[in-house]
């Protein structure tokens, strides 16, 4: 019986990155052997055990066989005679198919160490094509390790998988799981680029894929292409360390531009009105969490108004707050301002002045919101108790007056 650290822990140690968790593979053992040594069984589909002291996962070496489309259709086989190399060959990428023995020796039967040095994502074997989730995982790794490239042979295999319909078998929850994890990585645009290069983006997020090739006015968008702009925006959100709802909102903010009739381009009047429906449908299809969906819808609808905030009248600003439910949910409104700021800063390095310029719209609107929220709606309502129908109008007017005063003081 021999135990090896495998997968990400070996890869990250070689890359000089901190290692959070250790996964172990055990060769030459049966489930009974593991239980006899005090390990606790937790695996459902195949034997996995928790170490009695460290609680790290130890899996028996196994092989697998594809039996049905998608990523559920596998039969696993474990026995004491399964070799470590047999277990490693079923893994997705060579950089994830290395093991470290307890004496520190690296076991690398498929060239992972060289691919770590060369910064290359390469599939271990043709078995990569049997699991479409591996396309999503590779794309997510590209966002985590942006200096890695995809081997030509691996990209060709991914394209074959997409053409064969393997990606269409993915369940929505798994797509969202990998997409959301990729959005939280160092450079999310790399995930989108890999998915687009192999054709998977058009299958799982056609609304997003439609943005490439859609022009925008170069005066405000020197990068012109809407897809390119979107990738710059999501990377700004990552650079600033924003949370998932803000990053998803940044990703979705211009979705309506893909629906602009070609004869109206590069202008996109009304795209803020088309985006929310597209985001709602996409979110329903992928089972996107409510907080991510709602913030994305609001950002798509309002980011144009936010950009014009300094020119809006107090009445229009209060109406914006009401439409966004900002009095009940001020934190969500502040998140929308963060996503809108990413939109304003989503420009290439060659347009550094646009990336780094001030964004006064956010503090301006937050100051106005603080003033409007300070209005005591209960006192206003009490003054109009005899005519309750006028209460909403009176509360609105009081908030407008408060915003007008606050913004006048800010200018002075």
């Amino acid at each position: 019986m021999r135990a090896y650290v495998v997968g990400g822990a070996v890869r990250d140690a070689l890359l000089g990155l901190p290692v959070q968790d250790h996964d172990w593979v055990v060769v030459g053992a049966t489930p009974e052997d593991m239980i006899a040594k005090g390990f606790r069984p937790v695996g459902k589909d195949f034997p996995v055990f928790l170490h009695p002291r460290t609680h790290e996962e130890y899996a028996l070496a196994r092989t697998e066989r594809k039996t049905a489309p998608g990523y559920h259709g596998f039969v696993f086989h474990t026995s004491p005679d399964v070799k470590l190399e047999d277990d490693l060959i079923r893994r997705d990428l060579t950089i994830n198919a290395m093991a470290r023995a307890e004496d520190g020796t690296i076991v690398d039967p498929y060239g992972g160490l060289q691919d770590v040095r060369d910064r290359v994502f390469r599939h271990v074997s043709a078995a990569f094509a049997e699991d479409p989730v591996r396309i999503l995982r590779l794309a997510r790794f590209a966002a985590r390790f942006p200096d890695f490239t995809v081997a030509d042979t691996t990209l060709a295999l991914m394209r074959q998988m997409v053409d064969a319909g393997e990606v269409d078998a993915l369940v929505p929850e798994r797509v969202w799981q990998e997409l959301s994890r990729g959005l939280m990585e160092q450079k999310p645009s790399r995930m989108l680029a890999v998915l687009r290069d192999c054709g998977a983006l058009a299958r799982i997020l056609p609304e997003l894929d439609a943005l490439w090739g859609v022009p925008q006015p170069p005066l405000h968008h020197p990068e012109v292409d809407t897809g390119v702009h979107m990738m710059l925006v999501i990377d700004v959100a990552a650079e600033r360390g924003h949370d998932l709802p803000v990053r998803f909102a940044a990703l979705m903010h211009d979705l309506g531009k893909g629906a602009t009739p070609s004869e109206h381009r590069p202008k996109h009047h009304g795209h803020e009105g088309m985006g929310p429906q597209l985001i709602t449908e996409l979110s329903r299809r992928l089972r996107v969490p409510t907080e991510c969906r709602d913030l994305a819808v609001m950002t798509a609808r309002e980011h144009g108004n936010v950009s014009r905030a300094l020119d809006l009248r107090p009445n229009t600003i209060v109406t914006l707050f009401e439409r966004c439910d900002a009095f009940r949910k001020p934190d969500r409104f502040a998140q929308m301002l963060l996503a809108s700021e990413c939109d304003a800063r989503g420009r290439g390095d060659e347009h550094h002045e646009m990336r780094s310029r001030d964004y006064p719209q956010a503090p301006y609107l937050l100051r106005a919101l603080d003033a409007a929220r300070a209005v005591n709606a209960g006192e206003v309502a009490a003054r109009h108790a005899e005519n309750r129908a006028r209460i909403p109008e009176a509360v609105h007017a009081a908030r407008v007056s408060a915003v007008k005063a606050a913004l006048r003081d800010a200018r002075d």
Side-chain angles (χ1 to χ4, degrees), residues 210 213-216 256-269 274:
V214 174
Q216 302 173 101
K257 289 183 177 179
T260 301
S262 57
E263 62 269 22
H264 295 165
R265 297 171 181 174
K267 296 182 178 180
H268 294 276
H269 297 306
M274 292 184 284

Side-chain angles (χ1 to χ4, degrees), residues 198-272:
C198 71
L201 191 66
R203 306 297 273 268
I204 61 177
L205 290 170
E207 304 92 340
L208 202 62
D209 187 69
L211 296 182
W212 273 268
V214 174
Q216 302 173 101
L219 176 62
H220 302 294
H221 289 281
E223 69 283 355
V224 180
D225 190 288
T226 306
V228 172
H229 168 65
M230 179 270 298
M231 295 215 293
L232 293 167
V233 171
I234 186 57
D235 282 348
V236 169
E239 290 166 11
R240 290 176 167 251
H242 293 323
D243 60 13
L244 178 60
V246 174
R247 296 192 194 199
F248 183 67
L251 181 71
M252 296 281 111
H253 80 282
D254 267 346
L255 211 62
K257 289 183 177 179
T260 301
S262 57
E263 62 269 22
H264 295 165
R265 297 171 181 174
K267 296 182 178 180
H268 294 276
H269 297 306
H271 77 277
E272 296 96 339

Side-chain angles (χ1 to χ4, degrees), residues 269-339:
H269 297 306
H271 77 277
E272 296 96 339
M274 292 184 284
Q277 182 60 37
L278 290 170
I279 295 169
T280 300
E281 293 171 359
L282 180 154
S283 298
R284 184 185 302 117
R285 187 176 73 244
L286 294 187
R287 317 284 201 274
V288 174
T290 301
E291 62 175 339
C292 291
R293 178 201 65 199
D294 289 351
L295 182 63
V297 166
M298 183 190 304
T299 303
R301 186 185 68 226
E302 307 293 354
H303 67 277
N305 290 322
V306 171
S307 71
R308 295 185 291 272
L310 303 184
D311 299 322
L312 298 180
R313 295 176 300 173
N315 179 68
T316 306
I317 290 175
V318 173
T319 300
L320 171 66
F321 295 155
E322 292 168 343
R323 196 164 56 243
C324 293
D325 200 12
F327 299 114
R328 290 196 314 122
K329 299 181 179 180
D331 291 343
R332 188 179 67 178
F333 186 82
Q335 284 182 306
M336 192 259 288
L337 298 182
L338 293 176

